[in-house]
Amino acid sequence: MNSQSQDRLDRVEQLLAWTAEQVAANSREIQELHQSIQASRAESAEQNAARLREIQELHQSIQASRAESAEQAAAQARSLRELQQVVSETRSDLAHLAEWAEEVTQALITLTALQQEHERAMQAINQRQAETDQRFNILLEEVRYLIRKQISDGSPPPPSA
């Protein structure tokens, strides 16, 4: 093998190594996104898990192709095409995950707004209840005062309704 072929082989191996690192980094990102989406979207979690398994299988396929490519120049070209396909699929998967993440974000924003609205409504209800309780207590004290006054004046109690 001449020097130029060896240089090409080295560059291809470097490209494969870099690409494998990128695929591994992409795989980790997919796993993190999968875990954050899983809590709020069960159906998406199932789809993400399936995609993660597919990516792991493709990653294993790339590793096998990479080992083969070190032995043969023809296998290198085939592995490179496979790697390009995997990267394309990974990008597509990441685009879908980004869309799902945006949907989840919007849902969380909506839920947060609804929760804040609910909390404000509960505060208003609690405040009205406290005011009602306070008015009731004032009226109760007035009734007690009037009863005590009536008893101390010697008047008969009012007829009950």
Side-chain angles (χ1 to χ4, degrees):
M1 189 180 283
N2 64 26
S3 171
Q4 190 177 15
S5 295
Q6 184 61 42
D7 287 346
R8 286 182 186 160
L9 179 62
D10 291 344
R11 280 183 275 167
V12 169
E13 287 178 355
Q14 289 173 355
L15 179 60
L16 288 172
W18 176 82
T19 306
E21 290 174 11
Q22 293 299 314
V23 168
N26 288 343
S27 178
R28 286 190 298 275
E29 290 176 23
I30 289 170
Q31 288 174 343
E32 291 171 6
L33 287 172
H34 171 60
Q35 290 172 353
S36 85
I37 291 171
Q38 182 179 16
S40 60
R41 302 191 74 192
E43 181 179 333
S44 294
E46 292 174 9
Q47 293 172 354
N48 290 344
R51 284 195 172 88
L52 180 59
R53 285 190 299 275
E54 290 173 10
I55 288 171
Q56 290 171 340
E57 290 170 4
L58 290 171
H59 182 55
Q60 291 171 356
S61 172
I62 290 170
Q63 288 176 337
S65 296
R66 189 170 165 217
E68 217 175 58
S69 70
E71 299 172 10
Q72 268 183 2
Q76 289 176 0
R78 188 181 72 245
S79 295
L80 185 57
R81 286 190 300 272
E82 290 174 6
L83 183 60
Q84 289 170 340
Q85 180 183 358
V86 169
V87 169
S88 175
E89 291 172 2
T90 301
R91 286 182 179 152
S92 176
D93 289 345
L94 287 174
H96 287 119
L97 288 173
E99 290 174 16
W100 292 329
E102 179 62 27
E103 290 174 8
V104 168
T105 300
Q106 291 302 322
L108 289 174
I109 289 169
T110 301
L111 286 173
T112 301
L114 289 172
Q115 183 179 7
Q116 289 172 349
E117 184 178 322
H118 176 73
E119 288 173 3
R120 284 191 298 271
M122 289 304 295
Q123 287 174 349
I125 289 170
N126 289 339
Q127 183 178 355
R128 285 193 297 270
Q129 183 64 42
E131 291 169 359
T132 301
D133 290 349
Q134 186 178 12
R135 284 193 300 268
F136 175 78
N137 286 333
I138 290 171
L139 289 173
L140 184 60
E141 286 301 318
E142 288 179 9
V143 168
R144 287 178 180 158
Y145 170 78
L146 290 173
I147 290 172
R148 281 193 302 271
K149 184 177 176 186
Q150 195 173 27
I151 290 173
S152 66
D153 289 348
S155 305
S160 55

